[in-house]
Amino acid sequence: MLKLEWKATAIADLLAIINYISDDNPDAAQALKDEIEAKTSRLPDSPQLYRVGRIDGTREMVIRPNYIVIYAENAVAVTILRVLHAAQQWPET
């Protein structure tokens, strides 16, 4: 079974999103965090389930219409590269 790894940039992305939402609605922020963590925890079981990413070598998991998890996979691990709001500029990962 593959390992699940999070890049520091992805953790920072997630925390920034959660902090921003929690200013207005802490319960919604926690619910989104829980949803992202639950869905990404299942990635090692079926990493190719989600669409091919806009950047070569990546895939994209849509979490609700506005949040996207960008990840890559290899023979050993699924690595979460970024967690973005859909309106954000698409960075190079």
Side-chain angles (χ1 to χ4, degrees), residues 27-82:
D27 291 337
Q30 186 62 51
L32 178 62
K33 181 177 181 284
D34 292 345
E35 183 177 353
I36 291 171
E37 289 175 345
K39 288 182 176 179
T40 57
S41 72
R42 293 189 297 267
L43 276 174
D45 295 331
S46 48
Q48 295 186 356
L49 182 63
Y50 297 95
R51 71 184 184 201
V52 173
R54 296 166 220 197
I55 298 170
D56 285 342
T58 67
R59 297 187 87 76
E60 298 176 9
M61 171 193 283
V62 176
I63 309 281
R64 302 182 187 176
N66 291 327
Y67 298 97
I68 300 169
V69 173
I70 302 170
Y71 66 95
E73 64 170 304
N74 61 33
V76 177
V78 173
T79 304
I80 308 299
L81 304 171
R82 301 297 306 259

Side-chain angles (χ1 to χ4, degrees), residues 13-27:
D13 291 339
L14 178 60
L15 293 176
I17 289 167
I18 299 310
N19 286 337
Y20 179 79
I21 294 170
S22 69
D23 288 344
D24 291 327
N25 191 335
D27 291 337

